[in-house]
Amino acid sequence: MNSLDAFKALSREFNEQLRTHSSSDLNYAILIPTLRCNLRCSYCQVSRADLDSKGYDWSQTETDDVITYLLNNSTQDLKVEFQGGEPTVRVDLLGYIIEKVSAFRPDATFVICSNLQELTKELLSILENDKVYLSCSLDGPKEIHQANRTFESHLTEQFFDNLDFILSNFGTDKISLLPTISDYSKVNETIDFYFEKGLKDIFLRPVNYQGFARKKFSKESEDIKSWQVAYQSGIDYLFARNERSKHKLAEATFAIHLSKFFNPSSKNYVDLRNPNPLGKDYLVFDYDGAIYPTDEARMMSRIGLIDFRIGDVKAGLDKKSVEEINLKNSNIGDVTCNKCRYQSFCGVDNIDKISRYGSLDLPTEKTFFCQNHLSIFKFVSNKIASKSEIDIKNMNLHLTGFYEPTTLFSGYYDD
């Protein structure tokens, strides 16, 4: 073996080690200070509690227990995400937690996942902190958003007034807006609205197979073929609109999958990590102090499907439970995955597999996860191979942020 071949071999070995390396330090924590909510969204994934319900909030002691856990177990670059319910129902707890965590993790960032129905002085004060961000559902124009979430015109107007206030006073970088698509025929309408609002990103997602949506949207959340037709035609529509519009819009799912072709070791999207360790660098702390490996696992426990808790904030993690849920956390060795050209780009989602099929034994190619990601990888691959100027400029936008021709894709597929 000559020196060049030896270097290539070492490089492949290093990249494989990097791709399959997983952190065991907690750097991402989802906190559920309350399960109460002031809306009744049609596709609610967590089976929220009514606003006047009792017993669904952290006490001061439980709040301090969570803070102590983060102090003793998290990394310096900790990211904290507040979910619910509607977490701003307990804006007092949000402010308290942010203050205490920032004291021992000054580099920590915080995301408040809110329906944005209420903008109180306390919440606006918290948002002045440049390490605090918002994440909010925006399903499209008023009629679509109202049909899914608010149901009443005055609540719809209240939401859009609050959204416009945030965009005007804090800018688009302060808030991440995500649609949930329940009617696949209206994807383009949602894309148009994101253009009209001057937003930079959109994350096209089908309604999730969790919580209340499990019953109301069971057909939609399992219809992978219809979703992929809608999604891929939506991307084509977005690409065409980017070409004729001064403002440009990037789509997150496409960007995530495209980036895997150029950096397979990227781990910025949990579903495509391989291995995908559960109960280690990412934990969910529920309203009752229970700890879950993912937010989907919390949702499954909430509806009584399966108890996926792996510990509680006082006693810590149950090592045996963590070991058990990590027995099949890699696609390496999977009969289907070993034959797939996209294996090194892809990952595993055992929580979704158990949620949908009640078992890990179903052949991978029959799962929603595999069919969904495989379809997207093929779609992206075809875009690269097409060498269309519009496709190339849009792919460059999704990789670099610049909408312009590039030689980045030249030679990727040789004729």
Side-chain angles (χ1 to χ4, degrees), residues 11-34:
S11 179
R12 285 195 297 269
E13 181 180 352
F14 173 77
N15 285 330
E16 180 64 15
Q17 291 175 351
L18 184 63
R19 182 176 71 84
T20 59
H21 172 75
S22 59
S23 172
S24 60
D25 298 320
L26 177 61
N27 56 34
Y28 193 94
I30 291 181
L31 310 186
I32 320 294
T34 180

PDB file of all heavy atoms in Angstrom, residues 11-34:
ATOM      1  N   SER A  11      -8.229   7.898   6.588  1.00  0.00           N
ATOM      2  CA  SER A  11      -9.292   8.893   6.525  1.00  0.00           C
ATOM      3  C   SER A  11     -10.661   8.235   6.620  1.00  0.00           C
ATOM      4  O   SER A  11     -11.544   8.713   7.337  1.00  0.00           O
ATOM      5  CB  SER A  11      -9.173   9.679   5.218  1.00  0.00           C
ATOM      6  OG  SER A  11     -10.204  10.630   5.118  1.00  0.00           O
ATOM      7  N   ARG A  12     -10.847   7.108   5.903  1.00  0.00           N
ATOM      8  CA  ARG A  12     -12.120   6.398   5.971  1.00  0.00           C
ATOM      9  C   ARG A  12     -12.381   5.878   7.370  1.00  0.00           C
ATOM     10  O   ARG A  12     -13.496   5.960   7.882  1.00  0.00           O
ATOM     11  CB  ARG A  12     -12.112   5.230   4.974  1.00  0.00           C
ATOM     12  CG  ARG A  12     -12.284   5.646   3.511  1.00  0.00           C
ATOM     13  CD  ARG A  12     -12.622   4.448   2.643  1.00  0.00           C
ATOM     14  NE  ARG A  12     -11.543   3.483   2.642  1.00  0.00           N
ATOM     15  CZ  ARG A  12     -10.540   3.474   1.769  1.00  0.00           C
ATOM     16  NH1 ARG A  12     -10.475   4.398   0.821  1.00  0.00           N
ATOM     17  NH2 ARG A  12      -9.598   2.552   1.820  1.00  0.00           N
ATOM     18  N   GLU A  13     -11.333   5.357   8.000  1.00  0.00           N
ATOM     19  CA  GLU A  13     -11.483   4.835   9.361  1.00  0.00           C
ATOM     20  C   GLU A  13     -11.836   5.946  10.334  1.00  0.00           C
ATOM     21  O   GLU A  13     -12.722   5.798  11.189  1.00  0.00           O
ATOM     22  CB  GLU A  13     -10.192   4.156   9.802  1.00  0.00           C
ATOM     23  CG  GLU A  13     -10.279   3.551  11.207  1.00  0.00           C
ATOM     24  CD  GLU A  13      -8.976   2.885  11.630  1.00  0.00           C
ATOM     25  OE1 GLU A  13      -8.064   2.767  10.794  1.00  0.00           O
ATOM     26  OE2 GLU A  13      -8.878   2.488  12.808  1.00  0.00           O
ATOM     27  N   PHE A  14     -11.171   7.102  10.187  1.00  0.00           N
ATOM     28  CA  PHE A  14     -11.440   8.232  11.069  1.00  0.00           C
ATOM     29  C   PHE A  14     -12.870   8.731  10.883  1.00  0.00           C
ATOM     30  O   PHE A  14     -13.596   8.998  11.853  1.00  0.00           O
ATOM     31  CB  PHE A  14     -10.455   9.376  10.797  1.00  0.00           C
ATOM     32  CG  PHE A  14     -10.775  10.638  11.554  1.00  0.00           C
ATOM     33  CD1 PHE A  14     -10.471  10.749  12.912  1.00  0.00           C
ATOM     34  CD2 PHE A  14     -11.389  11.708  10.923  1.00  0.00           C
ATOM     35  CE1 PHE A  14     -10.778  11.908  13.617  1.00  0.00           C
ATOM     36  CE2 PHE A  14     -11.695  12.858  11.623  1.00  0.00           C
ATOM     37  CZ  PHE A  14     -11.385  12.961  12.962  1.00  0.00           C
ATOM     38  N   ASN A  15     -13.296   8.863   9.618  1.00  0.00           N
ATOM     39  CA  ASN A  15     -14.646   9.349   9.342  1.00  0.00           C
ATOM     40  C   ASN A  15     -15.701   8.394   9.867  1.00  0.00           C
ATOM     41  O   ASN A  15     -16.764   8.814  10.337  1.00  0.00           O
ATOM     42  CB  ASN A  15     -14.832   9.560   7.838  1.00  0.00           C
ATOM     43  CG  ASN A  15     -14.119  10.802   7.344  1.00  0.00           C
ATOM     44  OD1 ASN A  15     -13.964  11.770   8.087  1.00  0.00           O
ATOM     45  ND2 ASN A  15     -13.663  10.785   6.096  1.00  0.00           N
ATOM     46  N   GLU A  16     -15.434   7.077   9.793  1.00  0.00           N
ATOM     47  CA  GLU A  16     -16.385   6.103  10.310  1.00  0.00           C
ATOM     48  C   GLU A  16     -16.475   6.188  11.829  1.00  0.00           C
ATOM     49  O   GLU A  16     -17.563   6.132  12.411  1.00  0.00           O
ATOM     50  CB  GLU A  16     -15.971   4.687   9.889  1.00  0.00           C
ATOM     51  CG  GLU A  16     -16.894   3.588  10.386  1.00  0.00           C
ATOM     52  CD  GLU A  16     -18.291   3.684   9.810  1.00  0.00           C
ATOM     53  OE1 GLU A  16     -18.500   4.402   8.820  1.00  0.00           O
ATOM     54  OE2 GLU A  16     -19.197   3.031  10.365  1.00  0.00           O
ATOM     55  N   GLN A  17     -15.327   6.372  12.485  1.00  0.00           N
ATOM     56  CA  GLN A  17     -15.332   6.529  13.940  1.00  0.00           C
ATOM     57  C   GLN A  17     -16.077   7.796  14.343  1.00  0.00           C
ATOM     58  O   GLN A  17     -16.830   7.816  15.308  1.00  0.00           O
ATOM     59  CB  GLN A  17     -13.901   6.558  14.469  1.00  0.00           C
ATOM     60  CG  GLN A  17     -13.170   5.234  14.364  1.00  0.00           C
ATOM     61  CD  GLN A  17     -11.714   5.346  14.782  1.00  0.00           C
ATOM     62  OE1 GLN A  17     -11.201   6.444  14.994  1.00  0.00           O
ATOM     63  NE2 GLN A  17     -11.048   4.202  14.892  1.00  0.00           N
ATOM     64  N   LEU A  18     -15.854   8.870  13.574  1.00  0.00           N
ATOM     65  CA  LEU A  18     -16.525  10.133  13.860  1.00  0.00           C
ATOM     66  C   LEU A  18     -18.025   9.990  13.672  1.00  0.00           C
ATOM     67  O   LEU A  18     -18.827  10.471  14.480  1.00  0.00           O
ATOM     68  CB  LEU A  18     -15.979  11.231  12.938  1.00  0.00           C
ATOM     69  CG  LEU A  18     -16.513  12.656  13.159  1.00  0.00           C
ATOM     70  CD1 LEU A  18     -16.130  13.164  14.541  1.00  0.00           C
ATOM     71  CD2 LEU A  18     -15.977  13.582  12.076  1.00  0.00           C
ATOM     72  N   ARG A  19     -18.436   9.291  12.604  1.00  0.00           N
ATOM     73  CA  ARG A  19     -19.854   9.141  12.291  1.00  0.00           C
ATOM     74  C   ARG A  19     -20.574   8.351  13.359  1.00  0.00           C
ATOM     75  O   ARG A  19     -21.724   8.627  13.692  1.00  0.00           O
ATOM     76  CB  ARG A  19     -20.006   8.450  10.927  1.00  0.00           C
ATOM     77  CG  ARG A  19     -21.449   8.288  10.480  1.00  0.00           C
ATOM     78  CD  ARG A  19     -21.522   7.686   9.094  1.00  0.00           C
ATOM     79  NE  ARG A  19     -21.142   6.292   9.090  1.00  0.00           N
ATOM     80  CZ  ARG A  19     -21.970   5.280   9.385  1.00  0.00           C
ATOM     81  NH1 ARG A  19     -23.208   5.539   9.742  1.00  0.00           N
ATOM     82  NH2 ARG A  19     -21.565   4.039   9.331  1.00  0.00           N
ATOM     83  N   THR A  20     -19.906   7.341  13.902  1.00  0.00           N
ATOM     84  CA  THR A  20     -20.570   6.454  14.856  1.00  0.00           C
ATOM     85  C   THR A  20     -20.295   6.821  16.308  1.00  0.00           C
ATOM     86  O   THR A  20     -20.784   6.163  17.203  1.00  0.00           O
ATOM     87  CB  THR A  20     -20.138   4.997  14.621  1.00  0.00           C
ATOM     88  OG1 THR A  20     -18.709   4.892  14.758  1.00  0.00           O
ATOM     89  CG2 THR A  20     -20.542   4.528  13.235  1.00  0.00           C
ATOM     90  N   HIS A  21     -19.516   7.895  16.533  1.00  0.00           N
ATOM     91  CA  HIS A  21     -19.250   8.317  17.908  1.00  0.00           C
ATOM     92  C   HIS A  21     -20.489   8.976  18.493  1.00  0.00           C
ATOM     93  O   HIS A  21     -21.187   9.719  17.821  1.00  0.00           O
ATOM     94  CB  HIS A  21     -18.086   9.309  17.951  1.00  0.00           C
ATOM     95  CG  HIS A  21     -17.881   9.924  19.312  1.00  0.00           C
ATOM     96  ND1 HIS A  21     -17.322   9.234  20.357  1.00  0.00           N
ATOM     97  CD2 HIS A  21     -18.194  11.154  19.786  1.00  0.00           C
ATOM     98  CE1 HIS A  21     -17.275  10.016  21.423  1.00  0.00           C
ATOM     99  NE2 HIS A  21     -17.794  11.186  21.103  1.00  0.00           N
ATOM    100  N   SER A  22     -20.761   8.693  19.732  1.00  0.00           N
ATOM    101  CA  SER A  22     -21.899   9.321  20.402  1.00  0.00           C
ATOM    102  C   SER A  22     -21.476   9.856  21.765  1.00  0.00           C
ATOM    103  O   SER A  22     -20.662   9.245  22.459  1.00  0.00           O
ATOM    104  CB  SER A  22     -23.049   8.317  20.581  1.00  0.00           C
ATOM    105  OG  SER A  22     -22.619   7.209  21.346  1.00  0.00           O
ATOM    106  N   SER A  23     -22.025  11.004  22.108  1.00  0.00           N
ATOM    107  CA  SER A  23     -21.716  11.628  23.381  1.00  0.00           C
ATOM    108  C   SER A  23     -22.563  11.028  24.498  1.00  0.00           C
ATOM    109  O   SER A  23     -23.703  10.625  24.280  1.00  0.00           O
ATOM    110  CB  SER A  23     -21.972  13.137  23.293  1.00  0.00           C
ATOM    111  OG  SER A  23     -21.852  13.744  24.562  1.00  0.00           O
ATOM    112  N   SER A  24     -21.997  10.958  25.688  1.00  0.00           N
ATOM    113  CA  SER A  24     -22.748  10.450  26.836  1.00  0.00           C
ATOM    114  C   SER A  24     -23.057  11.567  27.828  1.00  0.00           C
ATOM    115  O   SER A  24     -23.599  11.325  28.889  1.00  0.00           O
ATOM    116  CB  SER A  24     -21.952   9.345  27.546  1.00  0.00           C
ATOM    117  OG  SER A  24     -20.705   9.844  28.000  1.00  0.00           O
ATOM    118  N   ASP A  25     -22.718  12.803  27.462  1.00  0.00           N
ATOM    119  CA  ASP A  25     -22.942  13.941  28.338  1.00  0.00           C
ATOM    120  C   ASP A  25     -24.215  14.676  27.920  1.00  0.00           C
ATOM    121  O   ASP A  25     -24.465  14.909  26.738  1.00  0.00           O
ATOM    122  CB  ASP A  25     -21.761  14.909  28.283  1.00  0.00           C
ATOM    123  CG  ASP A  25     -20.469  14.264  28.763  1.00  0.00           C
ATOM    124  OD1 ASP A  25     -20.535  13.502  29.740  1.00  0.00           O
ATOM    125  OD2 ASP A  25     -19.417  14.517  28.161  1.00  0.00           O
ATOM    126  N   LEU A  26     -25.009  15.047  28.888  1.00  0.00           N
ATOM    127  CA  LEU A  26     -26.283  15.712  28.624  1.00  0.00           C
ATOM    128  C   LEU A  26     -26.047  17.124  28.092  1.00  0.00           C
ATOM    129  O   LEU A  26     -25.502  17.980  28.780  1.00  0.00           O
ATOM    130  CB  LEU A  26     -27.105  15.776  29.914  1.00  0.00           C
ATOM    131  CG  LEU A  26     -28.443  16.505  29.833  1.00  0.00           C
ATOM    132  CD1 LEU A  26     -29.366  15.819  28.834  1.00  0.00           C
ATOM    133  CD2 LEU A  26     -29.099  16.576  31.211  1.00  0.00           C
ATOM    134  N   ASN A  27     -26.451  17.353  26.845  1.00  0.00           N
ATOM    135  CA  ASN A  27     -26.326  18.694  26.279  1.00  0.00           C
ATOM    136  C   ASN A  27     -27.640  19.246  25.733  1.00  0.00           C
ATOM    137  O   ASN A  27     -27.675  20.342  25.203  1.00  0.00           O
ATOM    138  CB  ASN A  27     -25.252  18.733  25.182  1.00  0.00           C
ATOM    139  CG  ASN A  27     -25.503  17.725  24.071  1.00  0.00           C
ATOM    140  OD1 ASN A  27     -26.645  17.440  23.735  1.00  0.00           O
ATOM    141  ND2 ASN A  27     -24.433  17.169  23.527  1.00  0.00           N
ATOM    142  N   TYR A  28     -28.705  18.450  25.845  1.00  0.00           N
ATOM    143  CA  TYR A  28     -30.011  18.893  25.346  1.00  0.00           C
ATOM    144  C   TYR A  28     -31.079  18.402  26.319  1.00  0.00           C
ATOM    145  O   TYR A  28     -31.228  17.205  26.527  1.00  0.00           O
ATOM    146  CB  TYR A  28     -30.254  18.323  23.954  1.00  0.00           C
ATOM    147  CG  TYR A  28     -31.408  18.954  23.210  1.00  0.00           C
ATOM    148  CD1 TYR A  28     -31.198  20.010  22.336  1.00  0.00           C
ATOM    149  CD2 TYR A  28     -32.709  18.505  23.391  1.00  0.00           C
ATOM    150  CE1 TYR A  28     -32.252  20.585  21.646  1.00  0.00           C
ATOM    151  CE2 TYR A  28     -33.769  19.079  22.711  1.00  0.00           C
ATOM    152  CZ  TYR A  28     -33.535  20.119  21.837  1.00  0.00           C
ATOM    153  OH  TYR A  28     -34.579  20.697  21.181  1.00  0.00           O
ATOM    154  N   ALA A  29     -31.791  19.336  26.909  1.00  0.00           N
ATOM    155  CA  ALA A  29     -32.811  18.981  27.896  1.00  0.00           C
ATOM    156  C   ALA A  29     -34.136  19.634  27.532  1.00  0.00           C
ATOM    157  O   ALA A  29     -34.204  20.847  27.302  1.00  0.00           O
ATOM    158  CB  ALA A  29     -32.384  19.430  29.291  1.00  0.00           C
ATOM    159  N   ILE A  30     -35.174  18.825  27.457  1.00  0.00           N
ATOM    160  CA  ILE A  30     -36.531  19.338  27.262  1.00  0.00           C
ATOM    161  C   ILE A  30     -37.229  19.347  28.614  1.00  0.00           C
ATOM    162  O   ILE A  30     -37.306  18.319  29.284  1.00  0.00           O
ATOM    163  CB  ILE A  30     -37.314  18.484  26.253  1.00  0.00           C
ATOM    164  CG1 ILE A  30     -36.732  18.660  24.846  1.00  0.00           C
ATOM    165  CG2 ILE A  30     -38.793  18.854  26.263  1.00  0.00           C
ATOM    166  CD1 ILE A  30     -37.457  17.866  23.779  1.00  0.00           C
ATOM    167  N   LEU A  31     -37.719  20.499  29.009  1.00  0.00           N
ATOM    168  CA  LEU A  31     -38.357  20.665  30.311  1.00  0.00           C
ATOM    169  C   LEU A  31     -39.858  20.929  30.121  1.00  0.00           C
ATOM    170  O   LEU A  31     -40.250  21.749  29.282  1.00  0.00           O
ATOM    171  CB  LEU A  31     -37.727  21.821  31.087  1.00  0.00           C
ATOM    172  CG  LEU A  31     -36.196  21.842  31.199  1.00  0.00           C
ATOM    173  CD1 LEU A  31     -35.755  22.972  32.135  1.00  0.00           C
ATOM    174  CD2 LEU A  31     -35.661  20.504  31.697  1.00  0.00           C
ATOM    175  N   ILE A  32     -40.669  20.240  30.914  1.00  0.00           N
ATOM    176  CA  ILE A  32     -42.125  20.385  30.855  1.00  0.00           C
ATOM    177  C   ILE A  32     -42.605  20.934  32.199  1.00  0.00           C
ATOM    178  O   ILE A  32     -43.048  20.173  33.072  1.00  0.00           O
ATOM    179  CB  ILE A  32     -42.820  19.025  30.567  1.00  0.00           C
ATOM    180  CG1 ILE A  32     -42.045  18.205  29.542  1.00  0.00           C
ATOM    181  CG2 ILE A  32     -44.269  19.255  30.142  1.00  0.00           C
ATOM    182  CD1 ILE A  32     -41.988  18.792  28.163  1.00  0.00           C
ATOM    183  N   PRO A  33     -42.521  22.239  32.416  1.00  0.00           N
ATOM    184  CA  PRO A  33     -42.925  22.780  33.719  1.00  0.00           C
ATOM    185  C   PRO A  33     -44.416  22.703  33.971  1.00  0.00           C
ATOM    186  O   PRO A  33     -44.866  22.774  35.110  1.00  0.00           O
ATOM    187  CB  PRO A  33     -42.438  24.234  33.654  1.00  0.00           C
ATOM    188  CG  PRO A  33     -42.398  24.551  32.198  1.00  0.00           C
ATOM    189  CD  PRO A  33     -42.018  23.281  31.518  1.00  0.00           C
ATOM    190  N   THR A  34     -45.205  22.558  32.893  1.00  0.00           N
ATOM    191  CA  THR A  34     -46.651  22.398  33.033  1.00  0.00           C
ATOM    192  C   THR A  34     -47.193  21.654  31.830  1.00  0.00           C
ATOM    193  O   THR A  34     -46.647  21.760  30.719  1.00  0.00           O
ATOM    194  CB  THR A  34     -47.374  23.760  33.149  1.00  0.00           C
ATOM    195  OG1 THR A  34     -48.776  23.540  33.273  1.00  0.00           O
ATOM    196  CG2 THR A  34     -47.106  24.642  31.952  1.00  0.00           C
TER     197      THR A  34
END
